Amino acid sequence: MSIARRLADLFRVKANKALDRAEDPREVLDYSYERQLEMLTKVRRGVADVATSRKRLDLQVTQLQQAADRLQAQATQAVDLGRDDLAREALTRRAAVTAQMGDITAQRDALSAEEAKLTTAATRLQARVEAFRTRKETIKATYTAAEAQTRVGEAVSGISEEMGDVGMAVQRAEDKTSQMQARAGAIDELLASGAIQDATATTAGRDDLQAALEAARGDQGVDRELAALKAGRSAPAVGGGQARPEVTSGQPEQERQR
């Protein structure tokens, strides 16, 4: 299969899908009904035209019949007057009129038969159009009810496009909320462990020792040294003697040497 053929087939498939989505069966039924009404109108117009022509021929036949009767009367009068020549002329004209009347009568009969056929066809077509109209309204009502039921079902089940968009928006909001909560919890844990410092916290009153203590948090060696230092300060003096009292800074140098 050539590329052009494949592209043409693909275009037709896409076009059919697009038309199927855009097509409303109710509109199609209404359009079909309108076309049938137009056809019925044309058939009725044809019946009217044939009836008009047939009526015109009827009038011509009537006029020719009257002319033939008049010529017959003239021929009779000519015979009574002994004018055979005039009687012969009247009869000749009457024969021509009779022949013409026969032709027109044949045409009229043909038109009458055509009028009868068209009338029967118009009656049948009208019956079909009325039946189609009834079926059309039934199908439209059924389709409308099914469409409404489908929309309600989609709205309730949440599978419609609108409800699907709402569900996706809610899901995205929940995901972002969970992500933000996890981020906030992680930041709180980092602040509590000292991995990061609170930039908004004040640094007033913090000396170098406090900073060193915070920096040395978790160092086991420093903790052991601190424990040993505390143990040495709390142990009694060597040799069993009493601890030498501390000398305040206000005592004189001589008293400190005694």
Side-chain angles (χ1 to χ4, degrees):
M1 182 183 293
S2 63
I3 297 178
R5 179 66 179 276
R6 292 178 63 185
L7 290 175
D9 293 340
L10 180 61
F11 176 78
R12 282 193 292 268
V13 170
K14 296 294 184 181
N16 289 334
K17 288 184 178 180
L19 290 175
D20 185 66
R21 288 193 299 266
E23 183 182 26
D24 189 345
R26 292 166 295 188
E27 296 178 355
V28 175
L29 291 173
D30 290 336
Y31 178 74
S32 300
Y33 179 67
E34 292 175 0
R35 293 296 302 273
Q36 292 186 18
L37 287 179
E38 292 176 359
M39 186 180 300
L40 179 60
T41 301
K42 290 180 180 179
V43 172
R44 289 176 175 175
R45 188 180 297 114
V47 173
D49 294 339
V50 172
T52 301
S53 299
R54 190 260 310 162
K55 188 64 176 178
R56 188 181 297 112
L57 292 179
D58 284 341
L59 292 176
Q60 291 181 5
V61 169
T62 300
Q63 292 174 358
L64 290 175
Q65 183 64 46
Q66 292 175 356
D69 293 341
R70 185 173 61 255
L71 290 173
Q72 181 67 34
Q74 290 176 353
T76 302
Q77 292 176 3
V79 170
D80 292 341
L81 294 175
R83 298 290 304 271
D84 293 341
D85 56 339
L86 294 177
R88 186 178 293 104
E89 180 66 21
L91 291 175
T92 301
R93 293 181 179 179
R94 183 180 181 278
V97 170
T98 301
Q100 185 179 2
M101 185 175 60
D103 294 338
I104 295 177
T105 301
Q107 294 179 5
R108 182 197 62 184
D109 294 341
L111 287 178
S112 297
E114 187 67 22
E115 180 183 359
K117 292 180 180 179
L118 290 176
T119 301
T120 303
T123 302
R124 292 178 179 177
L125 181 59
Q126 183 176 1
R128 290 179 57 185
V129 171
E130 292 297 328
F132 180 80
R133 183 182 68 83
T134 303
R135 185 179 180 184
K136 171 181 72 72
E137 295 299 329
T138 303
I139 295 175
K140 286 176 61 177
T142 304
Y143 180 83
T144 301
E147 184 182 27
Q149 184 178 2
T150 302
R151 289 182 177 178
V152 171
E154 289 179 349
V156 172
S157 60
I159 62 175
S160 63
E161 293 183 0
E162 293 80 1
M163 296 303 296
D165 294 338
V166 173
M168 292 178 62
V170 172
Q171 184 64 37
R172 288 195 301 269
E174 291 179 350
D175 293 341
K176 289 184 177 180
T177 301
S178 299
Q179 183 179 1
M180 191 61 66
Q181 289 176 348
R183 183 179 178 86
I187 293 175
D188 290 341
E189 291 179 359
L190 292 175
L191 287 174
S193 64
I196 60 174
Q197 296 181 358
D198 188 359
T200 60
T202 178
T203 58
R206 296 180 60 187
D207 52 12
D208 296 338
L209 179 59
Q210 183 65 29
L213 290 174
E214 291 180 356
R217 180 181 301 172
D219 191 347
Q220 296 180 358
V222 175
D223 291 341
R224 287 196 297 269
E225 292 178 0
L226 181 59
L229 179 61
K230 289 182 178 180
R233 289 175 59 88
S234 60
V238 179
Q242 295 182 352
R244 186 177 181 179
E246 295 182 355
V247 180
T248 60
S249 60
Q251 293 177 343
E253 185 65 21
Q254 296 176 355
E255 291 180 1
R256 289 199 303 266
Q257 294 178 357
R258 289 180 182 180

